[in-house]
Amino acid sequence: MEMYSDILKELRRDRGLTQGALAKKLGLSTPNYRRYENAYGNMPLEILVRLALLFDTSTDYILGLTSNPEPTPRREKLL
């Protein structure tokens, strides 16, 4: 199973983004984002979801739980 840090690097590089550019899109400092790509500490759920939306993929793909990069269909809003 691939580490999420490796998957993040691949997704970022495939889109031609630097760590700084991606950090800016996420509203983070570059050192904070770099921690996620280096697998230091825990990534907040909010950041994981924002990365999945930004890269148009699923959180399962980023976490290495599936090899399918297609985004998971969204559920209808619950009551």
Side-chain angles (χ1 to χ4, degrees):
M1 181 164 75
E2 223 176 339
M3 287 285 298
Y4 75 86
S5 56
D6 296 326
I7 294 168
L8 285 179
K9 287 176 197 171
E10 181 181 321
L11 288 168
R12 178 181 57 76
R13 289 175 179 162
D14 285 351
R15 284 153 182 85
L17 294 169
T18 63
Q19 288 181 336
L22 182 53
K24 188 172 184 177
K25 286 180 179 281
L26 295 168
L28 301 172
S29 68
T30 302
N32 272 349
Y33 175 75
R34 189 175 295 131
R35 289 180 42 211
Y36 307 137
E37 274 199 18
N38 291 322
Y40 294 130
N42 294 320
M43 182 184 338
L45 183 58
E46 176 187 346
I47 299 298
L48 176 61
V49 170
R50 289 170 61 195
L51 285 163
L53 292 171
L54 180 72
F55 290 133
D56 194 29
T57 192
S58 69
T59 56
D60 282 353
Y61 180 74
I62 292 173
L63 294 173
L65 300 174
T66 182
S67 60
N68 181 1
E70 294 298 316
T72 305
R74 289 187 171 182
R75 294 188 317 185
E76 291 296 320
K77 197 171 188 178
L78 298 175
L79 297 176

